[in-house]
Amino acid sequence: MGRRVLITGLGTYWGGRLAQALEADSSVDVIIGLDTREPTVALERTEYVRCDASYSILARLVRATHVDTILHTFLVVDSGSPDARSMHEINVIGTLNLVAAAGAPGSTVRTVVVKSSSLVYGSNREDPTFFREDATRSRSARTRVERSLLEVESYVADLVQDHPEIAVSVLRFSNVFGPEIETSLTRSLDLPAVPCLFGFDPRFQLVHEADVVRALRFAMDQRLRGTFNVAGDGLLPWSEMIAIAGKRPWPLPPIATDAAARMMERFGWPKLPAETLELLRHGRGIDTSRIKAAGFRFDHDTVSCVESHVGASRLHRALGPTAGGGPGDGYRYERDVEAFFRHSPSVVR
């Protein structure tokens, strides 16, 4: 019997991409996706289950389906998105319910992969050039998204301690770039004048969107245990990223930066969360030797991450929104139609 996999956040970018990748894997028999919203990509074998943001149904679903693997892709890593209460419910309460379901008596779960973020390290002037997985923060967490991610990882650590029979891996991804993903950094780089901080030229380490999916699959297939940094090779100054994009910098004052950024939102700038502004001040690098030692190989380095995003952005500007778009463009989930194609005897299989 093949693997039985449950994905949290099926309606998100990462949940949909991961489900598509697993559908092409014949060794995966069952794929179940949870989310508060419907899938945004076409899926053939994945079963979608609507739930609340805290995954209160998770324990019941694990008992009923006997899944052996949980891929926890839905953690908020951008505080500019939801409000504080929603972020707490998704990140903290959702992870608590996941830990309870995986570790419940009689649970069939034997592999858990958590998609976390290098945000847990922070970004400060006292930081090392590259954070190792066992490094501690140079300063306490100041943003709510960083605090929630640290809390998430503490609950996952409890699962590891209480249930050694479960292979649990936490993947801390650096900032993601690529032709399809949109973040506060990619949206900033797409502006005619790119925000930066006067007197600062931070260095960034990026990971390609395709390597994110590959790393999650790798952790699942190899049943990795422990915490792993995930980022492409190389550090690239923000000024060079702006130059590759063919844009010009727009300096923000190093003092009262938050207020200046909020003012620029009125002129079309994307919202820059506090943790992004700290990155534009100090940057961040992470040591990826541990996941490489486990056998993972990256297809992209930091420079190619920027180049792939810039190339896709230029194509979209030249040809408009129909030029490839992101995952889910032109697709709309319709429950009755999906049920027909999956279950009707009239469909030739």
Side-chain angles (χ1 to χ4, degrees), residues 20 77 169 180 186 212 249 286 339:
Q20 286 181 319
V77 296
S169 56
E180 297 177 350
T186 63
V212 173
I286 56 178

Side-chain angles (χ1 to χ4, degrees), residues 8-12 33-39 48-56 74 89-90 335:
T8 66
L10 183 65
T12 66
L34 273 67
D35 210 320
T36 58
R37 52 181 176 170
E38 297 166 340
Y48 163 58
V49 180
R50 186 185 296 275
C51 64
D52 56 27
S54 64
Y55 299 120
S56 59
F74 191 26
E89 186 175 17
I90 293 169
R335 183 175 293 274

Side-chain angles (χ1 to χ4, degrees), residues 16-95:
R17 285 285 297 271
L18 193 54
Q20 286 181 319
L22 292 177
E23 286 193 339
D25 187 345
S26 59
S27 69
V28 178
D29 279 354
V30 173
I31 310 169
I32 302 166
L34 273 67
D35 210 320
T36 58
R37 52 181 176 170
E38 297 166 340
T40 57
V41 294
L43 298 167
E44 297 180 358
R45 295 199 289 131
T46 305
E47 296 288 340
Y48 163 58
V49 180
R50 186 185 296 275
C51 64
D52 56 27
S54 64
Y55 299 120
S56 59
I57 196 178
L58 194 53
R60 180 182 174 190
L61 197 60
V62 168
R63 288 196 303 269
T65 60
H66 288 195
V67 294
D68 54 70
T69 301
I70 297 178
L71 304 178
H72 192 26
T73 73
F74 191 26
L75 287 178
V76 177
V77 296
D78 185 339
S79 63
S81 302
D83 55 56
R85 180 176 179 180
S86 297
M87 178 183 296
H88 181 80
E89 186 175 17
I90 293 169
N91 285 6
V92 178
I93 305 302
T95 301

